[in-house]
Amino acid sequence: MLEALGDPTRRTIFELLGAGPRSVAEIAGDLPVSRPAVSQHLKVLRDAGLVASTAMGTRRIYAVDPQGLAAIRGYFDQFWNQALAAFAQAAENPPEEKT
Amino acid sequence: MLEALGDPTRRTIFELLGAGPRSVAEIAGDLPVSRPAVSQHLKVLRDAGLVASTAMGTRRIYAVDPQGLAAIRGYFDQFWNQALAAFAQAAENPPEEKT
DNA sequence: GCCATCGGAAAGCCTAGACTTACCGTTCGT
DNA sequence: ACGAACGGTAAGTCTAGGCTTTCCGATGGC
C-alpha cells in the first residue's frame, strides 16, 4: 500500500486527487507523462485501495478512497504509539553494552 | 520521504526499529539480505530523516526518528483534511458533465 | 600492540517497473 | 449510423536502484 505512494508520479497523482475528483485526461494534462502512463498509475493506486473511479459517460472520474487513506493514517498512528512506547522503555533501561 | 518507505525491505527495517533500537548486525540477522544491504537501506532512511544512529563502541545503534515519523503523520493528517473538504464540496456540487 | 568485530564504501550485476507508442473497445453527440 | 473522444491494454525499451561480494577504516578486548 505504501509502495503505491513510493513513486513520485503516483504520489503527485494522489495529491492532485486529494484536491478533488478528476478525469484521467485532466490528470494527465497536469503531468509531464503520457495519458497511458497515468492510466497505469491509476490502476496501481486503485489496486492499493487508495483511489476509486466512477464512470461518467466515456469519462472515468477518479477520487481518493477515504478507506485507503484512513488505513494509512491508522498504520502510522499505531506505529507512532509503538515507537513512543519503545522510547519510554529506552529511556528507562539505558542501552546495554551487549544485548 | 515516502519513497524511503516504498521499498518493502526498508519498511521492514523501519518497523523493526519501531519496536526498539537495534544495531546493524541485529537488524540484518532478522532479514534475508546481507548486512551491507541493510547498511545501504539505513543510509537512505537516515537521509530521509526517518531514523537516527548513535555510536556505541564499534556498534551503531539505530532508532526511529520521532521527528520524521511525526512529519509523515502530519502529511497524512493534512491530506486527510484536504480530502474531507473535497468530499464535502463534491457532495454539494454534483459533478459536472464537463469541467 | 595485535587481533577480532562492526559497519560503511566501492564496484558490478540484474531485475522491477516507469514510460512510450500503437491499438482497440466503448460511449456519446449529431 | 457514423465519427470523435475517452480510457484501458499490450508490447517493448531503458533506467533506477536493490543486492552481493570485496575491501577498508575504526574501535575494543586481551
Side-chain angles (χ1 to χ4, degrees):
Chain A
M1 171 165 259
L2 281 179
E3 306 177 30
L5 292 180
D7 179 67
T9 303
R10 221 139 50 205
R11 198 163 49 247
T12 302
I13 293 177
F14 193 59
E15 288 169 358
L16 272 179
L17 291 181
R22 267 187 160 74
S23 74
V24 177
E26 285 168 345
I27 297 170
D30 285 356
L31 290 175
V33 298
S34 69
R35 190 193 49 69
V38 172
S39 244
Q40 291 163 10
H41 283 308
L42 285 171
K43 177 171 171 48
V44 174
L45 288 171
R46 190 220 284 262
D47 289 349
L50 291 173
V51 305
S53 71
T54 65
M56 276 203 43
T58 89
R59 312 170 68 198
R60 303 294 177 94
I61 306 299
Y62 281 84
V64 317
D65 184 347
Q67 298 260 334
L69 187 50
I72 289 188
R73 292 219 313 158
Y75 171 79
F76 282 112
D77 281 3
Q78 174 189 352
F79 200 89
W80 174 260
N81 292 328
Q82 186 186 2
L84 271 196
F87 269 124
Q89 189 184 7
E92 295 177 10
N93 307 8
E96 308 279 342
E97 189 66 22
K98 284 283 184 184
T99 306
Chain B
M1 172 166 259
L2 282 180
E3 307 178 30
L5 292 181
D7 179 67
T9 303
R10 221 139 50 206
R11 197 164 49 250
T12 300
I13 292 177
F14 192 58
E15 288 169 358
L16 272 179
L17 291 180
R22 266 183 161 76
S23 74
V24 177
E26 285 169 344
I27 297 171
D30 286 355
L31 289 176
V33 298
S34 69
R35 191 193 51 68
V38 172
S39 243
Q40 289 164 11
H41 284 308
L42 285 170
K43 177 173 170 49
V44 174
L45 288 171
R46 191 221 285 264
D47 289 349
L50 291 173
V51 304
S53 71
T54 65
M56 278 203 42
T58 89
R59 312 171 67 201
R60 302 295 176 92
I61 306 299
Y62 281 84
V64 316
D65 184 347
Q67 299 260 333
L69 187 49
I72 289 189
R73 291 219 313 157
Y75 170 78
F76 281 112
D77 280 2
Q78 174 190 352
F79 200 88
W80 174 260
N81 292 328
Q82 185 185 3
L84 271 196
F87 269 124
Q89 189 184 7
E92 295 177 11
N93 306 8
E96 307 280 342
E97 188 67 21
K98 285 284 186 184
T99 308

